[in-house]
Amino acid sequence: MAYNRRRWGSDGWTYSLPGKRDGSKFRNWKVWPNTLHASRLIHLAGERGGWELQHKAKGLVFELIYERGENASDLKVLVNAAKELGLEGAEGYLTSGEGVSEVKREAKEASRAGIGGVPFFVVYQAGDSADPITFSGAQPVKTFLQCLKQLSK
């Protein structure tokens, strides 16, 4: 990917991503997009269709970036994604400034909470007032197993 070569000298590091080892193809990743507008699309999906549509929108954004090689910064790409999701009126939303402040506020709140990457996991043990176990970024299965083992003590 040209961006990675310009920024870090190569894109070889992308081949060591945990998702790659676990079967994610990343077969057509061409761009490292600014995800503000994609985050707005995901936000809109959540407002209009709840958790299920928001989850579907997240999956579609990942597919656009890593599988289809599309630029999720491009509003035309996102308008087409909204159509694929069945989100009526999304073009007007995306071409306006609507949702920008909400998405930026949520990002700022996440940063204040110590979240610096995605995905970010917070695991609580039921009935336990101790601090939760947290970890950030793509994790191998081993990390989840260790977390569950720790919680079962």
Side-chain angles (χ1 to χ4, degrees):
M1 185 163 56
Y3 173 82
N4 287 336
R5 287 189 292 278
R6 279 193 320 272
R7 176 99 190 243
W8 293 290
S10 82
D11 62 356
W13 66 272
T14 63
Y15 299 105
S16 66
L17 292 170
K20 188 87 164 173
R21 290 191 303 270
D22 294 334
S24 293
K25 306 272 188 287
F26 299 118
R27 67 176 154 238
N28 202 15
W29 184 10
K30 295 178 182 173
V31 214
W32 197 299
N34 177 320
T35 57
L36 173 64
H37 297 303
S39 296
R40 291 175 59 224
L41 175 65
I42 293 166
H43 178 81
L44 178 65
E47 283 189 343
R48 300 251 182 99
W51 180 87
E52 287 183 3
L53 188 57
Q54 188 172 50
H55 181 69
K56 188 175 178 182
K58 286 178 193 177
L60 180 55
V61 167
F62 287 138
E63 183 181 323
L64 290 170
I65 297 167
Y66 302 117
E67 298 294 320
R68 298 184 193 176
E70 296 190 46
N71 184 349
S73 304
D74 185 333
L75 291 178
K76 290 177 189 169
V77 169
L78 295 174
V79 166
N80 287 333
K83 288 176 185 172
E84 196 171 323
L85 292 166
L87 275 171
E88 302 271 333
E91 183 170 6
Y93 174 86
L94 289 168
T95 56
S96 74
E98 196 175 345
V100 170
S101 60
E102 290 89 343
V103 167
K104 286 184 175 183
R105 180 184 38 77
E106 289 172 3
K108 191 178 279 189
E109 287 172 6
S111 180
R112 283 189 196 129
I115 299 171
V118 291
F120 188 83
F121 301 90
V122 180
V123 184
Y124 293 90
Q125 184 166 6
D128 189 350
S129 62
D131 290 336
I133 297 171
T134 62
F135 43 97
S136 181
Q139 297 291 325
V141 171
K142 182 175 135 182
T143 302
F144 290 97
L145 292 173
Q146 289 171 339
C147 175
L148 294 172
K149 187 182 279 188
Q150 183 176 339
L151 289 174
S152 68
K153 291 181 183 179

